[in-house]
Amino acid sequence: MSARIAARIARSAASRSVARSVVQKRALSALARPSVIRTAVPTLARGVKTINFGGVEEVVHERSDWPLEKLHDYFKNDTLAMIGYGSQGYGQGLNLRDNGMPVILGVRKDGVSWKAAIEDGWVPGETLFPVEEAINRGTIIMNLLSDAAQSETWPTIKPLITKGKTLYFAHGFSPVFNDLTKVETPKDVDVILVAPKGSGRTVRSLFKEGRGINSSYAVWQDITGKAEEKAIALAVAVGSGYVYQTTFEREVYSDLYGERGCLMGGIHGMFLAQYEVLRERGHTPSEAFNETVEEATQSLYPLVGTYGMDYMYDACSTTAKRGALDWYPRFKDALKPVFNDLYNAVRDGSETKRSLEFNSQKDYREKFEEELKVVREMEIWRVGKEVRKLRPENN
Ligand SMILES: NC(=O)c1ccc[n+]([C@@H]2O[C@H](COP(=O)([O-])OP(=O)(O)OC[C@H]3O[C@@H](n4cnc5c(N)ncnc54)[C@H](OP(=O)(O)O)[C@@H]3O)[C@@H](O)[C@H]2O)c1
């Protein structure tokens, strides 16, 4: 290790330890918490809250309004038929079951999900059925098939969703883009949405920790006058903590946009661009990775997540702060046209069309795997595997 690299690592460790001690001190001081926490004062004591988010008032519901006894009573005459056992089916289904809700599962027999469900304790003929049978037994049909499969199976499923049942989605995709998906919902049933803001694995892990994931809910069609209440109750039953009001349209546009942007595609592209330049300019793989991904995910992004962007700036050196404050507008200006293109592609249905076409192929799993293999084998992510082994917690 060269003296410069050693000094750099020492400096970096020192700045991280300064950041940590700043964090610890600030965490102890309520006054030092980001102002958003201080201003988000609920206007009602408990349950439904109107919260001022940066000047805009929004309604948020919380799970304390729906204790388990109330949920059990509310759904005592229902059977929740969850169709599909992918990421969301796993998280929502197991949470419902652990909450003592009357839930059964419907998946195609002997497929990957059928086997996974049996491994997780769902019992064929008791709590696990082929899709059509589960729908026939259910009063609330929770459609958690993949979005492409929702479209593909709709001609078979639609006639089974008869008057008096409720149709539930975890994404606005199928009804909002019905010109492409052909999912025209029946006219005589409540149609609602609960969209957890995270993967089904997180829906499950937060539930097991006694916390709840944040979700949004929406009503597409209210026949009974109870659709909204039912959506909120179901959101809590599947493991949500706070539940934000939205519409099917807003949910699907923002979700498709976000996952292609900052949540996944955009951040991956930015990591790659920064890493490639560092490597092309002669930096070692570990240095390029540490300065691009490791410090971001292990030190700085958690600060943004816990206390906010201003706090993260504040926890860093004046050198870092000066440079980052100068450069962020350039990145924003360079990226904004790409984000506008992306939003247009979401709104005009191009992204939906692409997703439907790709994910309807019989071999979609194998094709995804081929592309993920390319990602896995990229130098940056191979380096990440080695760097993770050297983390303090792994020593
Ligand atoms: N994943 C997330 O982070 C997330 C977050 C919020 C909302 N959502 C929404 O939740 C819903 C479910 O998403 P997901 O990620 O959990 O599911 P997924 O993994 O995309 O879907 C898998 C399920 O669909 C079934 N399936 C696929 N093709 C089928 C077909 N032709 N016929 C019958 N079943 C078929 C699979 O069964 P087999 O095993 O038998 O193939 C499996 O049970 C979607 O609307 C999604 O947008 C997802």
Side-chain angles (χ1 to χ4, degrees), residues 85 87-88 108 113 144 146-147 149-150 152 170-171 199 365:
Y85 199 64
S87 166
Q88 286 299 321
R108 55 183 166 186
S113 297
L144 296 186
S146 72
D147 295 307
Q150 289 179 20
E152 199 183 319
H171 197 12
S199 124
R365 278 195 170 102

Side-chain angles (χ1 to χ4, degrees), residues 48-269:
V48 186
K49 289 173 163 54
T50 302
I51 297 182
N52 188 316
F53 290 103
V56 179
E57 302 233 309
E58 295 184 45
V59 172
V60 178
H61 298 260
E62 70 165 324
R63 63 178 169 176
S64 61
D65 256 358
W66 287 92
L68 269 188
E69 313 76 63
K70 187 173 165 187
L71 284 175
H72 291 163
D73 186 57
Y74 191 78
F75 292 111
K76 65 176 182 286
N77 297 322
D78 282 304
T79 299
L80 314 187
M82 178 164 284
I83 310 305
Y85 199 64
S87 166
Q88 286 299 321
Y90 160 85
Q92 298 190 28
L94 292 180
N95 290 357
L96 284 171
R97 196 174 74 184
D98 286 357
N99 271 339
M101 304 299 294
V103 58
I104 60 172
L105 210 59
V107 289
R108 55 183 166 186
K109 202 148 182 250
D110 297 329
V112 174
S113 297
W114 181 272
K115 289 173 190 149
I118 291 174
E119 275 177 28
D120 290 342
W122 301 90
V123 181
E126 285 179 30
T127 52
L128 175 62
F129 301 93
V131 172
E132 291 168 29
E133 191 177 343
I135 298 177
N136 283 331
R137 287 171 177 260
T139 56
I140 297 178
I141 314 306
M142 306 175 75
N143 196 335
L144 296 186
L145 296 175
S146 72
D147 295 307
Q150 289 179 20
S151 175
E152 199 183 319
T153 57
W154 191 241
T156 327
I157 285 181
K158 184 178 178 181
L160 308 177
I161 302 174
T162 48
K163 193 171 176 188
K165 298 197 186 216
T166 297
L167 179 57
Y168 166 112
F169 291 99
H171 197 12
F173 191 96
S174 292
V176 171
F177 289 108
N178 56 25
D179 55 329
L180 296 164
T181 63
K182 309 296 176 209
V183 176
E184 290 287 351
T185 56
K187 295 280 172 261
D188 49 3
V189 303
D190 289 348
V191 181
I192 57 178
L193 168 143
V194 173
K197 300 287 109 192
S199 124
R201 302 280 147 189
T202 320
V203 171
R204 183 64 179 154
S205 61
L206 285 176
F207 176 85
K208 289 210 290 198
E209 288 167 25
R211 300 192 283 152
I213 193 156
N214 286 348
S215 300
S216 56
Y217 79 93
V219 173
W220 180 254
Q221 189 167 275
D222 185 5
I223 299 299
T224 62
K226 299 260 185 222
E228 181 173 11
E229 182 181 77
K230 222 178 317 181
I232 297 162
L234 281 167
V236 174
V238 301
S240 310
Y242 288 103
V243 191
Y244 296 74
Q245 201 176 45
T246 187
T247 63
F248 270 65
E249 289 85 352
R250 282 200 283 123
E251 188 281 332
V252 72
Y253 298 151
S254 59
D255 196 66
L256 293 178
Y257 175 76
E259 65 205 6
R260 281 153 182 74
C262 283
L263 303 180
M264 295 169 69
I267 202 71
H268 189 193

